[in-house]
Structures are given as C-alpha cells and as structure tokens.
Amino acid sequence: MEDWSAEGVRYLKGVGPKIAEKLLKLGIRNQRDLLFHLPLRYEDRTQITAIGSLQTGNRSLVQAEVLQAGTHFRRHGRSRRALVAKIADHSGLLTIRLFYFNARQQNQLQKGVWIRCFGEVRSAMGELEMVHPEIEVIDVDNPPPMTQTLTPIYPTTEGLHQLSIGKIIQQSIEKLHTQGMPETMPLRWLEKHHFPGFEVAMMHLHRPQNQNDSARIANRRHPAQYRFVVEELTAHRLALLERRAKIRVQKNPAIKTGGSKMETLKQSLPFELTGAQLRVVAELMQDFELGKPMMRLLQGDVGSGKTIVAALACIPVVESGYQCALMAPTEILAEQHFQNLERWFAPLDIKIVCLIGADKGKKRAQKLAAIASGEAQLVVGTHALFQASVNFSALGFIIIDEQHRFGVDQRLALQKKASQQEMPHQLIMTATPIPRTLAMSIYADLDYSQIDELPPGRKPVTTSIISEQKRAVLIDSVARTCSEGGQVYWVCTLIEESEALQFEAAEKTFEKLQQLLPHLSIAMVHGRMKTKDKEAAIQAFKNAETDILVATTVIEVGVDVPNASIMIIENPERLGLSQIHQLRGRVGRGARESFCILLVKNDLSAQVKKRLDIIRSHHDGFIIAQKDLELRGAGEVLGTRQTGEANFKIADLLRDQKWFAQVDELARLMLSDEHSSIRGELLRNWIGHKQGYTEVG
Ligand code: ADP
Ligand code: MG
C-alpha cells in the first residue's frame, strides 16, 4: 500500500507528458495527491428540468429535441462562426450556442435528434439560452439511466477539462476501492465523534452515494466533510508542532540579558514605554534567559509601538556578540527603521547598516563587507537581506516586520543566513491582528505576544465617507488645515496591485491638486520612483517641507509623520478593511485632531457601504480584522493565499472555527507514541511535499 506516493501519475490512462504538467500545476504528482484532490463543489444532474420551469442563473439538466441547428456568423467579429441550435421539450424552447465547436459536434446536432444538455441558464433578449452546455445525444425511446448522485466538480487549470480530470481521478478512486488506504484517525476518536472511516468518507466526497448524502454534501453538512476538515486542520497543526519541536532542540545563540545599554536607551527615549510594551519586552527577555530559541509572533495594532520593543530586544543580542537583522517589506519602511534605530543606537555605540535593493557598486560592497565582518551589529533592510551575496558573521536574531508581506520561504531564506550550527532567535511582527484562536491554528509553531495598549495621548481618528461630488469642499478643508500648519496624505488606490495604474491615478490627482492649490507644496511618492527620490519625498514630508503627500499604497505600512492629521483615501472600496485601518493609522499620532476621509463614487453597492461603515464605526484593529475575515475569508486577510501558508484543501479557517476544539484534542492525542504511525500517514496525506512547511533550515 506504500505505492500511493511512489506511483507517479504518468502511468494512468489519459495522462501524457502535457497532462502530467498540468496536474503538477495543481500540485498533483502521484496517486495520493490525486485522491486528495477533492471536489470544489458539486452539480446536480440527478433530475431533468422541464424547459418551461428553467430559472436563469441555475445550472440545470434538460432533455429535448433539436428543432433546428446551423452555423451563424457571430454578431461581432466576422471571422468566427457560432453553432446555434433551437431545442424544445413539451414545455418550452431553448437556444444553445457554441462559439467553439468541432465537426463532430456540428454533425451531432441534427434536426430531430434528442439530447441531454447541462449548463447555466441565461436569458438573452427575452429568450432562454445555454452557452457551451455539456451535450449528450441520446436515444429518446431508450434513454440512458440518470445519474443517481451529485457530480463532483474538481479544481482544475487551463487546458485540463473537467471531464478529463474527473476520469483521471476516477482511477485513483478505483484503486482506493480495490486496495484501500490506511485509516488515519484513532478508531476510538472516530467512534466518539461519529465520524465515518477513511475509505467510506473519501468515497462519499468523490462519489456521493445517494440522494440523502448528496443533499448533505451539497450543504457542507456531511460527516465525511466534517471528518476531513478536522483531519486537515489537525495535520497542519501537527506539522507546525513538529516544526516547533525540531526548532526547540536546535542549538541557539546564548543571549545574556541584563546589560547596561537597555536601561540607557530606555532613559534616553522622549516617551515612557507603555505597560504593554514593558510586558512584551519582559517576555522576550525571558525567552533569552530560558536559553530556548525564540520563535515569537508579536502582534500590536498599528501605532502601538512595536519598533522600539524590537529595538530593545536587540540590545542583549548585540551585547552577547551576535548580529541582528530587521527585515521590512518596503524600502521606505526599512529606511525609516534605520533612521529610528540609528538615532537610538548611535549613542550606545551600536553600529547599524541599512541594506536595500537599490544599493549598488562600492556602497553595496562596503555594506556587505561590514555585515560579513560583524562590524555591522544590526542590519536593517528589505528582501535584499537574504540575497546570495549577503553573509553574516554571526547572525543571532531575526526580526520580521509586517510579516504578512513575506512568504514562509522568504523567512526561511533569511534564517539560513545564520550559522549552520545555530538556529537564530526570531521575532515576527504584524499589525494585522489575527483573532487568537486563528493565530493558534496557523502559527501553532510560534509563541504569542501582544501589545494591547496604544501610547497615551492618541486621539481617535474621525472617519467619514464622502462622495466624489464633494471633492471641492474637501479640497477647501485640506487647504485650511495646511494653512494652519497641518499636513495631509492623499492616497490613490486601484484595482489589483498594478503599480503602473496606481501611478497613473496618483499622477492625475497630483496634477489636479497642484492646479487647485498652487500656494501649497505638494509631493508625490509611488513605487516606480528611484529609492533615493522616494526617500527624499518622505523625508521632506517628515520635515514638514511639503504640505500634501500624494501617494500610492506604498506608504501603507509603517510611515510615521506625527504632524500629518488628514488621511484621504480614494476608492477605499478596493482595499481590505485591515489595509484601510493601517492607512488610517498613519494619522492621529500627533497633537492635532485627525481625520480619515474615504472618498467614494456615488454608486456604491449596499454591501460595500456596509463594509466601509465598519471602518467608520470601529477603531480597534482586532474587531476590524474579525469583520474583514467574515467578509473576505482568511486567505485574503492574512495574506496567506499567495504564500500558500494556509492553503487548505477542504478546511476553511473561518467557517470551520467551530472545530478548533476537536482539532486541539485530536492533535494532542495524535502526538502520543501509540499513534506515531498513523500520524505519519496523516501528514503524508495532507501536507505531503508542501515545501518549507515543516522545514527547519
Ligand atoms: P507600529 O507598532 O505600528 O510599528 P511604531 O513602532 O512605528 O508603531 O510606533 C509609532 C509611533 O509611536 C512612533 O513615532 C514611536 O516613536 C511612537 N511610540 C512608540 N512607543 C511610544 C510610547 N510608549 N509613547 C509614545 N510614543 C510612542
Ligand atoms: Mg511598524
């Protein structure tokens, strides 16, 4: 039975080199992957719908006679013909259109033949139609039996037809039927929770057996689905715990705390640390004192003061002779961290280097040399930090800022810059607040600290949604604020992360504002500018040399200008709520009363209005994140969709939170020696070859 993983897909019927490549794209390499390629949804072809009772928008099966068929030129584009047929049953008339068709299809669709076709019902110019339905010619006197169960629809990729992938998967299902596969849950556990056994559950999902099962599966309320949801979440939890256990036994840099420089820095700060900041610093120090590798997630709402906490944690590391690396997602942010850290650390005689992609030639060589020799005790930078040419002399502590912007592999790449013999300490920071239960599930390999208190004196930012039509009024009040010495951010967003389009939008706004407010100094930052120019623009804004900073979302993270008091966001509906909250966090940092203006078009849908209202009425990042999760799903909010960190086959972190307690219990049970062999099987089934997931480095 060990051949599930070993057997490549190439030996299956219908899989040539081209199809194998497409399967690989879907993450399918072997028979095991194939079996675990679960249906995305199901279609109901168990019943024939009379044409007279078809509903537009539904996907339905009809059985009818072809009244006429022929090819027509398409309305637009002369070169292409469409195959159009009118079909009818006793109850009505339906048009079928095929824009792409072959000779066989053309021959099949003859006047007088009977067909079954399945597709989405649309209404075009008062007529019902189906475009590209699946068509089967039948003998009406002796019709083929109806499908008894739901038809599974599998996730697929371009060039791999649903029917083809279905047939390929069918072969794995037959193999399961004849050869079986080991059970991956403790039997007692299955009984206790009334879950079906592995094979039965798997068959239910791929081939619902009867109407009753079908109905429950379609509603996602089948025990087979519950079983696999719990199983998949448990597998991920176990993988993370395994990773954590492996890390815990690694040798790690010994960090001696209690040196004098920490106190010196605290004394020199122009503010008092909040209670929450002090508590988190103490938690970090305790990790060092216990001599365990730090693997910690630090959460704190935007503006809660994570940077100084990270900086304080660097001091004992440096005092113990190790280097620290602080990685940020943008050059602007790296540069800002550098300025802060330099200001804090220069008096302590701690040497800092900032390394970004834009560093070239001699300057870059000098920085690399300082990092390699250990002269640079603290290195701040962007993705540039884990490039091949970067070598550390003794990297002991890694800090990742705005971690949701980085993938697991990027974190690992930086981690590999440490010596082979030692696992560096790691602090992972995020301002996207993740509800704790969720954090436990995706970051079960990390400890958790939270700054749950904002520095004193922060005033809530008044948020309003203003229609495009009131732009002129808005510009007046911007002018007034600037004349009183205030500063304004004006952020232009656009669909997709297309920097080019954002740039265009920003440019237009920039020119318009310059025309309307000629007496003010207006600058612009966007991702296409040279780093030097970007820095200069931000710096000028920080120094209050410019009144208005027009920007694309490059300023989203971290930029800190306390004097700025108005944040205007154009087309905010295109951003996630947490992202808007982040942007809003740029203001309300100084003495001025602050405003966040969401500038919207008139024709917003009720749903969008509801979303934006959440921002208007809430100031707590956690609540906003929770609502955002409910509206957009976990993958979007956590930014994990792209990085594949929480890419589940059947579970959904939000929908399935009700199973977390079971997952907890099962994961603990599975960790016992008694279950070590099924644990291995479970991980192979669900995690398999997912790269980096369990890798320690
Ligand atoms: P974030 O958690 O969003 O990264 P930052 O570390 O950028 O927040 O801090 C935001 C601003 O608050 C900075 O100007 C920082 O110097 C300031 N700050 C941090 N801690 C305190 C504090 N305890 N009291 C007053 N201001 C603080
Ligand atoms: Mg920050």
Side-chain angles (χ1 to χ4, degrees), residues 17-28 157-160:
K18 273 216 181 105
I19 297 291
E21 218 171 275
K22 307 241 181 249
L23 290 173
L24 191 60
K25 250 195 187 163
L26 294 167
I28 301 171
T157 181
E158 213 186 313
L160 183 58

Side-chain angles (χ1 to χ4, degrees), residues 269-275 277 299-309 333 336-337 340 343-344 401-402 429-431 451 454-456 458 558-562 582 585-586 589:
L269 291 173
F271 49 76
E272 291 272 315
L273 293 171
T274 62
Q277 284 172 318
Q299 292 205 330
D301 207 346
V302 46
S304 61
K306 294 184 287 295
T307 318
I308 183 66
V309 168
L333 196 51
Q336 178 177 290
H337 282 326
N340 280 329
R343 194 173 65 237
W344 292 331
D401 194 18
E402 308 290 349
M429 305 201 290
T430 179
I451 306 184
L454 289 179
R458 295 273 161 84
V559 175
D560 188 36
V561 182
Q582 290 256 329
R586 304 295 118 226
R589 298 178 165 221

Side-chain angles (χ1 to χ4, degrees), residues 214 265 464:
S214 286
L265 175 53
S464 35

Side-chain angles (χ1 to χ4, degrees), residues 461 464 466 468 471 473-479 481-482 487-493 509 513 517 548-553 555 565-572 575 580 583-584 586-587 595-600:
V461 179
S464 35
I466 287 188
E468 188 55 46
R471 194 180 269 259
V473 183
L474 176 62
I475 290 176
D476 278 349
S477 64
V478 162
T481 300
C482 292
Q487 288 174 281
V488 176
Y489 290 105
W490 195 303
V491 176
C492 303
T493 67
T509 302
L513 288 174
L517 304 168
I548 304 177
L549 186 65
V550 177
T552 58
T553 44
I555 63 146
S565 62
I566 299 184
M567 164 66 65
I568 295 163
I569 307 173
E570 290 203 48
N571 304 318
L575 302 177
I580 299 177
L583 281 170
R584 176 171 63 182
R586 304 295 118 226
V587 295
F595 300 91
C596 174
I597 313 286
L598 307 176
L599 194 55
V600 300

